[in-house]
Amino acid sequence: MNIKRLFGLMALVALTTIPVGAETFTEVEEVQETQQKTVTIPAWINNIKFSGYGMLQYQGQDPEGNHSNSFNLRLARFILDGKIGDFDWRAQIQGTNATGPGQPTVQLVDLYAEWRKYPEFKVRVGQFKRAFTYENPTHPITQGWRGYADVINKLSAFGDRTGEKSSGGRDIGIQVSGDLFPNANGRKLFHYQVGIYNGEGVNQKDMDNRKDIIGGVWVMPIKGVRIGAFGWNGSRGGMLDPLTGEKRSIEKNRYAISAEYDLNEYTFRAEYIHSQGWGAASPGNNVREIDYSKGDKADGWYVFGIVPIVKSKLHAKARYQTYRNQKEWGTSVNQLECGLNYFFTKNLEMHLEYSRVNDRTLAKHDYNLVDMELDFRF
């Protein structure tokens, strides 16, 4: 009897504990499901946008003794934009054949945050475009040409004449900017921007503890019209002086005068830039050796027009530009260009361009250049 009672008791315990265990597991699963349902994604993650673009190029030219033609991967960029409260931020990585075909470079070009609570006073910190000229901050695709004007490349820190690494006009620093004086329609009539930078280009620390100060202002008296002026006082440190063998800083004292009309797919722009300060032996390649033979003054200008032939589909364009490496006509490179831009869609376009080049530093000054690009965004 004792044995039977023992087995009976064990059976009773088993029958009473199984439902309890199953119920417990069910409750745990319900709690887990409840916890999963309450997980929320931070709002700032929803505000992140991924985008980018690519630029594919064919270019041929025929200077005497140096003919060339080549397909080229001109540029690829991948961009993250976001917003946290009153701050906008951007991170942008670039891949390009900037140092030549077969020698691609990949680098961080933009990394900044900007406080934008008040349009009259915005503050940007990080690595971004310098506050110099209209063309410098223009998007490479919407700029509309096979490349920025020579004077922008050499004197606005793309392949700068001081030898700093090709940086797309960027530097590390802090900038304040704003738009003031709205008219009766609310359109602002005045813009200002002032920045303090290392003066060394992208991803570079300051080499001489002297900061570049760059500023610009423009007025917008008529819709689509901007008339402005810019100033730049700075230096590049760690430059080898071939005369003494010592390292020193070279000056970057520059100014620009700019005018633009941009409205309803009509774009006209003209800029003049003047620079005082010695150049480097090899502009744009992170070279730190002074080349006194190039003189301490340079200047240049460009003027162009882009007009619609078929609205939102086909544009015609023409540009004239000059760059003088020593502010003398004997060192000038002059180009007369014309072409077409065709838009398959708003995110896919083709650029065709012909340029007649007059390079007075060559024995035979004149030659031809043709360029074709397929540009896309995503």
Side-chain angles (χ1 to χ4, degrees):
M1 294 293 293
N2 291 336
I3 294 176
K4 291 182 178 179
R5 288 179 179 176
L6 178 60
F7 278 108
L9 180 61
M10 291 174 62
L12 179 62
V13 171
L15 290 172
T16 56
T17 57
I18 288 174
V20 173
E23 192 174 46
T24 302
F25 291 140
T26 302
E27 290 174 356
V28 170
E29 291 174 355
E30 289 176 353
V31 170
Q32 289 176 340
E33 289 178 359
T34 302
Q35 290 176 341
Q36 290 175 353
K37 291 178 181 178
T38 58
V39 174
T40 57
I41 298 174
W44 62 268
I45 292 180
N46 295 326
N47 292 327
I48 294 177
K49 176 185 176 183
F50 174 70
S51 63
Y53 55 93
M55 305 180 76
L56 311 177
Q57 181 183 53
Y58 170 82
Q59 189 173 101
Q61 53 187 329
D62 64 353
E64 188 173 77
N66 191 26
H67 291 204
S68 67
N69 70 88
S70 178
F71 293 103
N72 184 37
L73 304 178
R74 179 184 165 190
L75 192 64
R77 285 184 179 163
F78 303 93
I79 308 164
L80 286 175
D81 289 302
K83 186 175 181 64
I84 304 176
D86 294 325
F87 286 84
D88 287 357
W89 60 267
R90 165 169 284 196
Q92 182 172 199
I93 294 176
Q94 170 181 288
T96 179
N97 280 342
T99 58
Q103 303 177 53
T105 60
V106 177
Q107 61 182 346
L108 180 69
V109 290
D110 282 316
L111 183 63
Y112 65 82
E114 184 172 54
W115 184 64
R116 300 176 62 87
K117 185 174 182 178
Y118 303 105
E120 299 82 7
F121 184 79
K122 296 174 287 189
V123 183
R124 181 178 293 188
V125 180
Q127 182 164 282
F128 49 88
K129 289 280 192 176
R130 290 167 162 112
F132 194 69
T133 76
Y134 289 162
E135 184 147 317
N136 179 8
T138 307
H139 193 289
I141 295 179
T142 57
Q143 187 264 347
W145 295 91
R146 61 183 171 84
Y148 295 90
D150 280 355
V151 68
I152 298 295
N153 286 324
K154 298 298 193 302
L155 301 182
S156 190
F158 282 73
D160 202 89
R161 95 182 225 109
T162 60
E164 72 176 46
K165 182 180 179 181
S166 180
S167 60
R170 295 169 171 84
D171 205 345
I172 305 172
I174 181 170
Q175 172 187 287
V176 297
S177 64
D179 297 289
L180 306 172
F181 311 129
N183 64 8
N185 297 320
R187 184 175 59 81
K188 304 294 178 66
L189 302 177
F190 181 83
H191 174 88
Y192 73 92
Q193 53 191 42
V194 180
I196 302 174
Y197 310 86
N198 281 342
E200 301 292 339
V202 295
N203 308 318
Q204 298 283 329
K205 293 183 178 179
D206 198 329
M207 296 293 291
D208 60 2
N209 296 320
R210 296 171 56 186
K211 299 295 181 285
D212 284 18
I213 300 175
I214 305 174
V217 296
W218 59 77
V219 294
M220 297 165 280
I222 304 172
K223 186 177 181 180
V225 172
R226 295 189 295 170
I227 302 171
F230 301 83
W232 182 341
N233 176 258
S235 65
R236 186 170 191 240
M239 298 292 290
L240 177 65
D241 189 329
L243 301 180
T244 65
E246 299 177 349
K247 291 188 175 181
R248 51 165 290 196
S249 297
I250 56 175
E251 302 298 318
K252 286 184 288 185
N253 299 312
R254 298 171 180 175
Y255 67 84
I257 301 171
S258 308
E260 179 187 73
Y261 174 81
D262 186 8
L263 190 66
N264 297 328
E265 301 185 30
Y266 289 86
T267 304
F268 301 92
R269 185 186 307 140
E271 296 194 275
Y272 171 81
I273 307 175
H274 181 276
S275 174
Q276 182 274 319
W278 300 108
S282 181
N285 290 314
N286 206 24
V287 172
R288 293 188 181 274
E289 182 177 348
I290 302 171
D291 186 352
Y292 287 112
S293 68
K294 294 181 179 178
D296 75 337
K297 289 185 174 64
D299 72 348
W301 55 89
Y302 72 88
V303 57
F304 77 70
I306 302 177
V307 301
I309 297 177
V310 179
K311 191 173 178 63
S312 302
K313 203 67 177 178
L314 181 64
H315 291 173
K317 60 185 180 180
R319 177 170 71 174
Y320 177 79
Q321 59 168 312
T322 293
Y323 175 67
R324 303 192 299 177
N325 199 40
Q326 296 181 35
K327 202 182 175 182
E328 297 175 357
W329 282 108
T331 67
S332 68
V333 178
N334 312 282
Q335 300 184 58
L336 181 60
E337 304 158 89
C338 62
L340 298 170
N341 296 338
Y342 181 78
F343 300 82
F344 297 97
T345 71
K346 66 177 182 179
N347 291 325
L348 179 65
E349 59 192 85
M350 178 173 285
H351 296 179
L352 301 173
E353 189 172 330
Y354 168 77
S355 178
R356 182 65 173 173
V357 183
N358 174 261
D359 185 343
R360 300 194 182 184
T361 66
L362 301 179
K364 185 176 180 180
H365 301 332
D366 299 320
Y367 64 91
N368 305 294
L369 184 151
V370 293
D371 186 272
M372 179 171 63
E373 290 187 15
L374 183 66
D375 301 333
F376 61 89
R377 314 184 199 211
F378 56 88

